[in-house]
Each structure stands twice: as C-alpha cells, then as structure tokens.
Amino acid sequence: MNRLEGKVAMVTGGGRGIGKGICEVLAREGASLVVADIDLANAEQTAADAREVGRKAIAVRCDVTSAESAAAAVEAAAQAFGRLDILVNNAGVVGLHVGGTLVDADDWDMCYEVNLKGIWQMSRAVVPHFRANGAGKIVNIASIAGRKGGAGLAHYSASKAGAISLTQSLATELGPLNINVNAVCPGLLWTDMWRQLEAMIGREPSDEVVDRRRVFEAFLAANCPLRREQTPEDIGHAVAFLASEDARNITGQALNVDGGIEMN
Ligand SMILES: NC(=O)c1ccc[n+]([C@@H]2O[C@H](COP(=O)([O-])OP(=O)(O)OC[C@H]3O[C@@H](n4cnc5c(N)ncnc54)[C@H](O)[C@@H]3O)[C@@H](O)[C@H]2O)c1
C-alpha cells in the first residue's frame, strides 16, 4: 500500500531498534523521511536505507530533551521538504538502575526528560507547521509498562503512563486544528533497550547473547498469549495506520501491540 504517498514524516530515535523499523514501514508506505536521532551516524544509515528503496530521506541530529535541538531539527525538515505531516515520538530510554525507590535521581530525570518531556517538546515544535498545513498526525511510542506499574521499573512506567496521558491531552487540544494524536504501546521487542531490561527482572546482565535471549523468551512464554515477540515492523504497521487517513477519526487512543500481554 502507498497510504503515505506525498507525506513527510519525522521519526525521533529512528537510528536503531523500533524507530528504524518504523522508518522502514513508513518509507514502504510512500513517506519521505526525516530521521532524527541523538546518534547521527545511525540516523544517517536509516536515511541511506530509505533512499536505497527510492524514498527521499534526510538525517538530523536531534536531542529531544533540548528545546533548541527540537526546533532546529523541525526547521531542517521544513527546509529540506517544504512541509511536515507526521511526527513519530519514538525516542526513549529506560535508565541504568533497578528498583522503585532504589533508582537514582539521574535515572528518574532521564526517563522523564526523554520519554515524556521530549514528546511535549517535539510536538510543540511541529504544531506551527501542522497548523499551516491544516492537518497533522502525531504518534507517540509509549509502552505496555505505562498501562500498569510494576516492580523495578517505577521511573520508566511512570514516564510511559505520562506519555499516554499526554497523548490524550494533546489530542483534546489539537483536535480542533485537525491534528490526530495517538499512542502505540509496544510489548516485548528484542532491541538494545530490552537487553538493559534484563537486569531489572532480577538477573545479572550476561555477555553471552544466548543467555539474554533465554531470559527474554521465558518472560514471553509466561506472559504473552500469542507466545511470540513483537518486531519493530509490527510497531511500524500500527504507526503507519494511525498516521494514515484510514485512522482519520481516531484520536487520543493508545494501541497495545504486545501479543495480548495487556488487554486494557
Ligand atoms: N524494546 C522494547 O521492548 C520496548 C517496549 C515498549 C516500548 N518501547 C519504547 O520504544 C521506543 C524505542 O525503543 P527501542 O527498544 O528501539 O530502544 P533503543 O534503545 O534500541 O533505541 C532508542 C533510540 O532513541 C535514541 N535516543 C535516545 N535518547 C534520545 C534523545 N534524547 N534524543 C533523540 N534520540 C534519542 C537512541 O539513540 C536510539 O536510536 C522507546 O520509546 C521505548 O521506550 C520499547
């Protein structure tokens, strides 16, 4: 399908993992891409991959925690393409430590700054462009961790619950401007981020990839009705739908893409 033909999409954290998968699906759907990441080398690679399949794509270095950086990235996108139609707020972090009251203040601040304030900051920067277009789509990558609290991940869960709430607030405020704002809540994906999570379910990180993988699979077997992991492409499909006109009357929603781990 070419549901996003003629549209320009900016994806934060598009340099690797889920963000890269989202970029690949959006490019397949016809979108031109602005790959925004704090890691410019990875962003350049994602953009190069999109150009390889015939799409227009640029990479920009962007730190979503900085108002100046967010504004500069959006400006670079507008300069390159003359318009911006879709913002995917995917950049996220999980922090470095484990435990509700045991995490240090740096972990708490980092999750808040990137996972929550980053969404607000990027959204603020794109709204003038969406207003000029008379339309826009924002898709926020939250998490099933934001659906309910749990041991070890208090700071991350709270930031993701905040992202779902922020999605609803922005949808309410921006709806009259014909801007749809939705969230996708991924479940379990075998990315660099999940490898960090291993320590948070009570096991020491291991250098052996096979051990990490076993922990991941055990968690899936115990918690996922469909008994299979999700992929960056799965998340990309949900994002493409929400960013398309097929979802024109959907706003303020959070869609779990998690094999049934959470059903609310
Ligand atoms: N992996 C999972 O199982 C999982 C589950 C649920 C939700 N998520 C969410 O999906 C999103 C992507 O996760 P992932 O697994 O691909 O993680 P990842 O760590 O592999 O990738 C995160 C990307 O965000 C970028 N980034 C980090 N801080 C940034 C900043 N300040 N500004 C701009 N870019 C920044 C990184 O450079 C990286 O490219 C995150 O929001 C994460 O919370 C992941």
Side-chain angles (χ1 to χ4, degrees):
M1 274 190 281
N2 264 5
R3 287 180 295 184
L4 304 178
E5 197 76 60
K7 303 292 184 193
V8 179
M10 171 179 268
V11 181
T12 69
R16 74 176 191 208
I18 293 174
K20 190 174 176 68
I22 292 169
C23 286
E24 286 166 5
V25 175
L26 298 188
R28 249 182 273 149
E29 290 276 5
S32 300
L33 293 180
V34 182
V35 187
D37 202 299
I38 201 164
D39 185 330
L40 183 59
N42 281 349
E44 298 272 21
Q45 187 56 56
T46 302
D49 292 346
R51 288 194 295 270
E52 192 100 324
V53 298
R55 296 298 171 211
K56 291 183 183 148
I58 62 164
V60 290
R61 189 188 176 281
C62 173
D63 177 356
V64 301
T65 69
S66 153
E68 293 74 30
S69 184
V74 169
E75 199 43 48
Q79 289 274 327
F81 293 107
R83 60 183 296 124
L84 192 53
D85 304 283
I86 298 161
L87 169 67
V88 184
N89 284 308
N90 163 79
V93 293
V94 75
L96 299 174
H97 300 95
V98 189
T101 53
L102 299 178
V103 294
D104 61 27
D106 288 346
D107 285 315
W108 186 273
D109 291 347
M110 185 165 57
C111 278
Y112 169 80
E113 287 285 327
V114 180
N115 300 351
L116 186 52
K117 193 173 168 195
I119 291 177
W120 171 73
Q121 204 130 252
M122 293 302 300
S123 302
R124 219 163 52 130
V126 299
V127 164
H129 296 274
F130 288 179
R131 191 191 274 272
N133 292 348
K137 310 276 187 188
I138 298 175
V139 184
N140 299 323
I141 305 304
S143 170
I144 55 166
R147 292 299 199 179
K148 69 171 187 240
L153 282 174
H155 53 311
Y156 180 76
S157 291
S159 72
K160 293 298 187 177
I164 294 169
S165 172
L166 179 59
T167 298
Q168 295 166 347
S169 298
L170 291 176
T172 308
E173 278 187 33
L174 300 176
L177 298 177
N178 195 25
I179 299 172
N180 302 57
V181 188
N182 289 290
V184 174
C185 297
L188 282 183
L189 289 96
W190 184 241
T191 64
D192 290 332
M193 175 173 284
W194 204 90
R195 291 182 191 108
Q196 273 181 281
L197 280 180
E198 181 188 16
M200 299 183 183
I201 55 173
R203 293 166 200 245
E204 288 301 314
S206 156
D207 285 339
E208 298 221 14
V209 172
V210 66
D211 286 348
R212 294 177 180 194
R213 183 70 202 176
R214 252 186 235 132
V215 173
F216 181 85
E217 283 171 4
F219 192 84
L220 265 180
N223 296 287
C224 179
L226 283 177
R227 298 286 189 273
R228 58 176 173 256
E229 68 198 85
Q230 294 79 60
T231 66
E233 193 177 40
D234 291 332
I235 310 306
H237 288 309
V239 170
F241 166 65
L242 291 171
S244 76
E245 279 309 287
D246 289 346
R248 60 188 286 271
N249 274 324
I250 299 175
T251 199
Q253 304 304 307
L255 175 62
N256 297 342
V257 181
D258 68 344
I261 297 170
E262 293 294 336
M263 297 196 181
N264 288 301

